[in-house]
Amino acid sequence: MKNAGSEGFLSLMPVYLEHILYPTLTDAGFTTEVHHVNGDGEDAGVVYCEMQARENTAEELTLFRLLQAMYPGDCGYKSDTGGRLHNLRTSCSNERVKAYHKHYYRPDNLALIITGQLEPDDVFTALAPFEEKVMSKGPLPSMERPWQSPVPPLLSSVCEVVAFPSDDEKDGMAVMAWRGPKAGDRYFYSAIVALVEYLHSTSVAPLQIGLVHVDEPYCSEMEEDPHTFIAFQAIGDFLFGQKAEDLVTYIDQTTHFRKLMEEREPFWLGLLKHYFIAGPYVAMLGTPSTSLAETMSQEEKDRIAKQKELLGEAGLSQKRQELEEAIRQNELD
């Protein structure tokens, strides 16, 4: 949540938290906001349409496959938080949403991160009535916090070709990933950040010279994922920190960087070899395919046609009425 002034922020903050911890999650809301079949036999809903717009893009297909290979076995890091279209159609329901929310969206599994010019006492005063409501709910059942179990190891490198639908077959994409230090190892994490910055962040960086600024460039640009620093570090501490002092080690990277200034060549070469050369990696080569675009388009048309046939006129009419009723109930709420 963002707000231009502290007064407005403090007024909205309890409302924001109310919607996170105690949303209504009505069946009507699920119908319009997550998934439904409309009167024309087509799948729709806000979440469904958002995922439909991105699930089969080059970036999404290659990244999704990369995450599946990078985190084998049972691991939440490879999950698509928006949901896969097939699952939204066949297995997602409001009952499952409510059960998931009840299990994980609870005060003892929540961190409120605020950045900006605010007086702490004003924040606590604004939160007091909401805290009273939380306390009035009584004790919560025990829960094993997520993201605490070990990540299954990546035992060997993986390199695959991932086809994606495209109107032409001119440009593809390559995505590579390596496992880094454990989340709590902040010194080596900072070292990796510094090393990656050196390798690619400027026009004279080694990877830029070798891949971009050549007669026949392998790519037009190199990207990394930026984050709002303070919030990102606070989230990391909330998820992986083991004691109160860990927050300082997450945020105070300056101390790490000053120490890294004293590291000599063997340290950096060892870091490069351990994580990027000798260690396993995952590479996905995204390949554009016009034939796949045609196939996927036809498969979707066939699926919708079969869905309409199964519903029949009576079923389509019922779907239309259900959607109209859901919209009416949402407007009343």
Side-chain angles (χ1 to χ4, degrees), residues 264-274 277:
R264 311 320 303 166
E265 183 177 302
F267 172 84
W268 297 105
L269 291 176
L271 196 71
L272 184 65
K273 180 179 180 180
H274 179 76
I277 299 176

Side-chain angles (χ1 to χ4, degrees), residues 8-9 11 26 33 44 70 102 110 152 192 216 225-226 234 290 310-311:
F9 176 84
S11 297
T26 63
E33 302 304 307
M70 176 60 71
K102 182 179 180 180
L110 179 147
I192 290 291
E216 296 183 6
D225 187 21
T290 55
L310 290 173
L311 287 169

